[in-house]
Amino acid sequence: MSDAVRADALLADVSKAGRGRLKVFLGAAPGVGKTFAMLQAAQAQLRQGTDLRAGVVETHGRAETEALLAGLPQQAPRRLDYRGVALTEMDLDGILAKPPKLVLVDELAHSNAPGSRHAKRWQDVLELLEAGIDVYTTVNVQHLEALNDQVRDITGVQVRETVPDWVLQEADEILLIDLPPRELLERLRDGKVYVPEQARAAIDAFFSQTNLTALRELAMQTAAARVDADLNRRYRQLGQEAPTVRGRLLVGVDGDEQAERLVRHASRVAERRHLPWSLVHVDTGRPRDEHSRTRLQAAQRLAERLGGEVVTLRAEEVARTLIEHAGERRASLLLVGRSRQRLRRRWLGRGLAERLLRFGEGLEVSVLDTEVVNAPATHSTRAPLVLHDYLLAALAALGAAGLAWAVSRTLELPNISLVFLAAVLLVAVRSSLGPALACAALSFLAYDFLFIPPHFSLSIQRQEDVLTLLFFLLMAGLTGNLAARQRRQVDALRQTQGETTALLELSRKLTAATDRQAVLAVAAQQFSAWHDVEVCLLGRSADGVWKVEAGVQRLLAEQERAAADWCWRHDQPAGLGTDTLPGGRWWWWPLSGDDGPLALLGISPRDERPLPAERRRLLAALAQPLAQALARAQLAEDLEAARLHGETEQLRSALLASVSHDLRTPLTAMRGSIDSLLALGEAIPLADRRELLEGTRDEAERLDRYIQNLLDMTRLGHGGLKLARDWVAPVDIVASALQRLRPLLAPLQVQTVVTDELPLLYVHAALIEQALVNVLENAARFSPAQATLRVAVEADDAELRFSVSDQGPGIPEAERAKIFDMFYTAARGDRGGQGTGLGLAICQGMIGAHGGRVTVGEGLDGQGTTLTLHLPLHPQPQLEEE
């Protein structure tokens, strides 16, 4: 055995971690004691201290059952009003609100009242299991979906409430509750199952000894199959050889009366042979009536519930298509049906079986006789009669007769038949085979009536004319059939091409979508062409609030929100056309990534009817690239967030290092001066004391500038910088900035170049001054002693420029864009390069807030750097004359 097989078996158990355990009490018939056995097991668990609760238990008035239930904690039922009738159901939300360890849920196949979250009780059980709650439940063998037809054949009763077989396959333990038929009949007669009147009717209708024996055998077969499956799984977990799954079962169905019966039979065969299976429908393009489409869709939905795969193929030849698909899927068994009432149909007739046996070499072919003697009458599945197509056939034949009569004097008799053949071809291409054959028959009669002697009579005098007419009818029929077949193939190819084009177009658009909103916008645009449905794309915030991100902007009703919530939590479709909250108008499909749903796709048909299977499969196909695009966008957002987090941590570390150094330096100098003054006091000469105090003041101003830079950067980052504009002279800004930095600029040779008659600036003077101070301070730190530092101010019609040039080491072009990043510093200056790296970033923010910009260029004589502050000019104010 391969390690992969063993790993899969082990992972199957690991995947159930955190999930509740399901124990099923399986009975062959009502009254065998399933509920009684379940309550006995619950009482034993209660004595062991297990926290349990009876969610719903049906005692049916049996005293022994009621006595066992009396000592157990019970969940109060939920009351519903349906059409004026008060109904009670299990309170699923009440159980989930305060979950116990174990819940008792009787009658697994029960159908919930309309308005409940789930249509079936077994769906409630699955939700309890997903919440980590263990469940004890009961079910009779006649309620298994795949056995529905067999039970009907045995008992003559069609069971309406069913449970998919895979639900039992998910059970961790199945306990068969058995009772010999004779003892069960005695319990019936004693009134321990039903009241006496009901008991007599039940014995006559359902509980005959023959029926009970057959049902008992079905129950034992079901339990034995489960035991066999468990044994195989245990062998695989141990790495030992076990019966391996080989091949695949394909069941070919059409929209006939017994399609669902064939699907159920295929499910049972696949389970017994341990085969995966698929339902395959070959669409030949022939028109079918509404009843046939409904039956086909019902069979496809049944196959999905029973765990099968649904495949639709488009081709003209059914047998070869099935065989080719069986080869592609490596199928070992092909199952088709045959009804005695429909032997003439190619899908279900003997011809299909013969072709399958002839061409399916190495393939096991089973033909199931699906005829039921007492089956209810159903509507015919013949193609619907389309009046306008047959009217087209009559008009085409009439037009061909008129045209042929008009040109009969110039054409020979055999050539005139080509006019009628052209009419048959036209009808076949425009409609289908039936109207084409009708046109051929009408053309045959017109040809005989108008052109075969004696004219204007349907009688034929010459024998060779009989042969001509027969050949004409044969050619018209063959031509019409070929043309109709070609049209069906073209229609099928057009439909397939449309679906493929939709997928390619969506994939192409999604390739260009880089974020979530772009992906959702592409999805809304893609579905906007579907005029028969409304589309809604929902997102969900971390606090559980729904948001319509694309499509129809409409408030959702409570039931729609409940369906969307369930779809999101369980990553499964919900709403219209499903078994979960089907009473709404919306069908919800989860667009899921590896960690669960990323968004919900909602479809609301305008006719409020469930979507057909073909449309649902197309939506599922389109949803896959949508989900992948959303996952890609989510991944990009996560990577960006991780990058920003990393940069933030890097900036935080740089800030702490820079601030700790730049704040500690002036503080150390100030502390030293203060300690000297305190320790020595009057012993220090007056001039030295003054020098110490001035140094303390300078270091305090330096510290104030650092703190001001930090505050300015904070305001810039949070949009809290307010501009209090006023008119100011540029010369005043330069003078104030130089005065503030006088001690720092003392070792340098500062040159000021200011042109005459500079315009006034309409700015926040303090901010522009602080920006210029930051640039001057940066230039001073990177300039060697006695170097030249020049400050120039010039203007033109559009802007005014402050330029600060130094003779420092300069900035390479590759780094000029980085100097405006926060905490970026360079350490090439003779006077040190240590700093917070905030000065130029703040400078750029302040100038940018005024609509200006900062540029970097070469310094003095090709050495050093020039930083220029560009500020836009405003119309100058009118000065009042004195």
Side-chain angles (χ1 to χ4, degrees):
M1 173 180 292
S2 67
D3 292 338
V5 174
R6 184 182 181 185
D8 290 340
L10 293 172
L11 286 175
D13 281 352
V14 174
S15 63
K16 292 186 177 182
R19 187 174 183 270
R21 295 180 59 83
L22 176 62
K23 183 174 183 178
V24 178
F25 294 81
L26 176 66
V32 295
K34 305 178 303 300
T35 305
F36 190 86
M38 179 183 71
L39 293 176
Q40 283 183 322
Q43 290 284 0
Q45 290 291 330
L46 185 63
R47 287 192 295 270
Q48 296 175 11
T50 303
D51 179 19
L52 62 84
R53 198 178 311 160
V56 58
V57 175
E58 303 290 348
T59 63
H60 298 290
R62 300 163 188 164
E64 300 91 342
T65 306
E66 291 178 349
L68 281 175
L69 178 62
L72 298 176
Q74 300 185 40
Q75 176 70 41
R78 178 184 176 214
R79 301 188 181 278
L80 298 172
D81 183 72
Y82 178 68
R83 295 182 179 179
V85 179
L87 303 175
T88 58
E89 294 292 350
M90 182 178 70
D91 188 2
L92 179 60
D93 291 327
I95 297 174
L96 294 174
K98 189 178 180 181
K101 173 62 177 175
L102 173 64
V103 172
L104 310 182
V105 182
D106 203 5
E107 297 188 1
L108 184 63
H110 171 77
S111 296
N112 291 330
S116 302
R117 177 152 72 238
H118 299 302
K120 297 290 186 178
R121 185 170 288 171
W122 59 264
Q123 294 175 299
D124 296 338
V125 168
L126 293 181
E127 187 165 348
L128 292 173
L129 294 173
E130 290 180 3
I133 302 173
D134 296 342
V135 176
Y136 284 180
T137 188
T138 66
V139 69
N140 288 322
V141 71
Q142 70 263 25
H143 293 293
L144 295 183
E145 180 70 58
L147 295 175
N148 193 262
D149 294 321
Q150 290 178 266
V151 172
R152 185 184 62 184
D153 294 341
I154 293 171
T155 65
V157 177
Q158 181 74 52
V159 178
R160 301 299 179 184
E161 294 183 330
T162 57
V163 176
D165 290 44
W166 61 265
V167 175
L168 258 69
Q169 295 171 10
E170 291 291 321
D172 298 276
E173 185 178 354
I174 293 180
L175 184 61
L176 178 62
I177 308 300
D178 188 27
L179 192 66
R182 190 180 301 277
E183 293 185 20
L184 179 56
L185 290 174
E186 291 178 359
R187 285 174 54 84
L188 279 169
R189 296 188 183 96
D190 294 340
K192 295 181 179 181
V193 179
Y194 299 116
V195 296
E197 294 77 7
Q198 292 179 332
R200 284 192 295 271
I203 292 174
D204 295 337
F206 188 89
F207 289 89
S208 67
Q209 187 161 350
T210 302
N211 291 350
L212 292 177
T213 302
L215 292 174
R216 189 185 186 195
E217 180 181 2
L218 287 179
M220 291 181 176
Q221 290 177 355
T222 302
R226 176 54 195 268
V227 171
D228 184 56
D230 286 344
L231 182 62
N232 292 334
R233 179 169 55 87
R234 297 301 177 187
Y235 272 122
R236 290 194 293 270
Q237 290 177 350
L238 295 173
Q240 300 178 9
E241 289 296 331
T244 56
V245 176
R246 299 182 58 188
R248 173 175 287 269
L249 183 148
L250 300 183
V251 52
V253 300
D254 195 12
D256 69 306
E257 299 89 341
Q258 302 300 326
E260 294 186 51
R261 180 182 178 88
L262 187 62
V263 169
R264 293 188 182 97
H265 179 76
S267 173
R268 299 301 296 175
V269 173
E271 180 182 358
R272 290 171 183 171
R273 296 197 182 189
H274 306 290
L275 293 174
W277 64 286
S278 303
L279 178 148
V280 183
H281 167 65
V282 180
D283 185 3
T284 61
R286 295 183 178 86
R288 60 176 66 245
D289 61 13
E290 183 65 24
H291 299 289
S292 177
R293 286 194 296 270
T294 301
R295 286 191 292 266
L296 176 60
Q297 293 172 8
Q300 291 172 334
R301 288 194 296 269
L302 176 61
E304 291 176 347
R305 290 200 304 270
L306 294 177
E309 178 189 18
V310 177
V311 179
T312 299
L313 306 174
R314 293 183 177 89
E316 179 67 26
E317 175 58 40
V318 176
R320 289 187 180 275
T321 303
L322 287 175
I323 293 173
E324 291 174 0
H325 184 70
E328 294 172 357
R329 300 303 303 274
R330 297 184 179 180
S332 57
L333 174 60
L334 179 59
L335 177 63
V336 295
R338 180 178 66 182
S339 173
R340 297 189 186 99
Q341 296 178 350
R342 307 292 300 282
L343 287 177
R344 291 176 295 178
R345 287 292 300 272
R346 290 201 300 169
W347 247 105
L348 299 176
R350 194 175 66 179
L352 174 63
E354 290 178 348
R355 288 192 296 275
L356 290 174
L357 293 172
R358 179 182 303 173
F359 302 117
E361 183 177 355
L363 181 67
E364 180 182 352
V365 179
S366 296
V367 182
L368 178 66
D369 189 348
T370 59
E371 181 68 24
V372 179
V373 177
N374 297 323
T378 57
H379 296 82
S380 174
T381 60
R382 289 180 297 178
L385 181 65
V386 184
L387 295 180
H388 71 269
D389 288 344
Y390 287 93
L391 179 61
L392 173 64
L395 292 177
L398 181 62
L403 180 62
W405 181 262
V407 299
S408 59
R409 296 183 179 181
T410 59
L411 293 178
E412 297 294 334
L413 183 62
N415 294 330
I416 292 176
S417 63
L418 297 178
V419 177
F420 292 99
L421 289 177
V424 175
L425 279 174
L426 174 64
V427 173
V429 171
R430 298 284 296 180
S431 58
S432 58
L433 180 59
L437 294 178
C439 182
L442 294 175
S443 298
F444 171 82
L445 296 176
Y447 187 40
D448 182 17
F449 187 77
L450 296 176
F451 300 103
I452 299 298
H455 299 295
F456 309 109
S457 172
L458 295 178
S459 60
I460 303 174
Q461 292 181 346
R462 297 178 300 179
Q463 293 182 353
E464 56 270 23
D465 291 337
V466 175
L467 186 61
T468 300
L469 282 174
L470 291 177
F471 270 109
F472 168 77
L473 184 61
L474 176 63
M475 293 304 297
L478 291 176
T479 304
N481 186 27
L482 290 175
R485 177 181 297 181
Q486 186 67 25
R487 180 177 182 272
R488 290 195 299 269
Q489 292 176 348
V490 170
D491 290 342
L493 289 175
R494 185 180 294 114
Q495 184 176 358
T496 303
Q497 182 182 10
E499 296 177 0
T500 304
T501 301
L503 284 171
L504 291 176
E505 181 69 13
L506 179 62
S507 300
R508 183 185 64 81
K509 293 179 180 178
L510 290 176
T511 302
T514 57
D515 57 13
R516 179 183 179 88
Q517 291 302 321
V519 172
L520 295 175
V522 167
Q525 180 183 5
Q526 179 73 26
F527 293 117
S528 63
W530 295 13
H531 302 295
D532 58 336
V533 298
E534 292 181 327
V535 180
C536 175
L537 288 155
L538 289 183
R540 189 171 184 175
S541 62
D543 55 357
V545 177
W546 289 110
K547 178 184 177 183
V548 179
E549 299 189 79
V552 178
Q553 299 288 331
R554 180 183 300 170
L555 293 176
L556 299 177
E558 181 179 357
Q559 188 173 19
E560 304 297 350
R561 288 197 301 271
D565 286 335
W566 193 91
C567 178
W568 185 277
R569 290 198 307 269
H570 297 83
D571 198 12
Q572 295 177 8
L576 181 66
T578 69
D579 292 329
T580 302
L581 295 171
R585 293 183 59 249
W586 289 86
W587 174 75
W588 301 105
W589 181 274
L591 303 177
S592 302
D594 294 336
D595 298 328
L598 302 170
L600 293 187
L601 171 63
I603 302 294
S604 176
R606 297 186 185 276
D607 58 3
E608 300 185 3
R609 300 173 60 186
L611 292 171
E614 294 82 0
R615 181 67 68 88
R616 286 191 287 115
R617 283 195 295 273
L618 177 58
L619 283 170
L622 293 175
Q624 184 175 3
L626 273 178
Q628 293 173 350
L630 285 174
R632 186 179 67 248
Q634 182 67 39
L635 179 60
E637 293 178 2
D638 293 342
L639 291 175
E640 180 66 15
R643 184 186 69 81
L644 291 177
H645 179 72
E647 291 183 356
T648 302
E649 289 298 316
Q650 183 181 0
L651 293 177
R652 187 176 68 87
S653 300
L655 175 61
L656 292 175
S658 299
V659 169
S660 62
H661 175 272
D662 290 310
L663 295 183
R664 184 179 300 166
T665 301
L667 285 174
T668 301
M670 293 167 61
R671 183 177 178 180
S673 299
I674 294 172
D675 288 343
S676 298
L677 290 171
L678 289 174
L680 300 177
E682 298 296 334
I684 302 176
L686 181 60
D688 292 340
R689 277 186 290 169
R690 183 177 182 83
E691 184 179 354
L692 287 174
L693 290 173
E694 289 178 351
T696 302
R697 182 195 60 193
D698 293 340
E699 293 298 332
E701 290 177 353
R702 180 183 176 188
L703 180 61
D704 179 69
R705 288 197 300 272
Y706 288 149
I707 296 175
Q708 186 62 40
N709 282 342
L710 291 174
L711 294 176
D712 290 341
M713 199 70 248
T714 302
R715 289 197 296 267
L716 285 171
H718 291 82
L721 192 64
K722 305 298 181 182
L723 298 182
R725 293 177 182 263
D726 199 359
W727 295 101
V728 63
V731 176
D732 295 340
I733 295 177
V734 174
S736 180
L738 292 176
Q739 179 63 28
R740 287 176 58 185
L741 296 177
R742 183 176 55 84
L744 183 63
L745 299 176
L748 303 175
Q749 299 179 12
V750 179
Q751 298 178 357
T752 304
V753 180
V754 180
T755 60
D756 297 333
E757 298 181 356
L758 289 172
L760 298 177
L761 288 173
Y762 187 62
V763 296
H764 191 303
L767 293 181
I768 301 302
E769 179 185 329
Q770 182 63 42
L772 185 57
V773 166
N774 289 346
V775 174
L776 287 169
E777 184 180 12
N778 187 73
R781 285 193 299 107
F782 286 94
S783 296
Q786 301 302 318
T788 301
L789 189 149
R790 186 174 66 187
V791 180
V793 185
E794 57 183 358
D796 55 27
D797 295 337
E799 65 180 13
L800 184 140
R801 296 176 291 276
F802 295 94
S803 298
V804 178
S805 304
D806 61 49
Q807 291 181 323
I811 302 175
E813 292 188 7
E815 297 186 23
R816 288 180 179 179
K818 299 179 180 179
I819 65 173
F820 298 104
D821 295 341
M822 288 192 299
F823 310 120
Y824 179 82
T825 60
R828 301 184 183 87
D830 293 339
R831 304 176 61 201
Q834 296 300 322
T836 59
L838 294 175
L840 294 181
I842 295 173
C843 175
Q844 186 183 49
M846 290 176 173
I847 298 301
H850 287 80
R853 56 194 173 91
V854 184
T855 59
V856 186
E858 297 293 336
L860 297 174
D861 301 326
Q863 182 182 2
T865 304
T866 297
L867 285 172
T868 304
L869 311 182
H870 302 257
L871 288 169
L873 291 175
H874 294 77
Q876 296 298 297
Q878 298 294 329
L879 299 178
E880 297 182 359
E881 297 182 358
E882 295 183 357

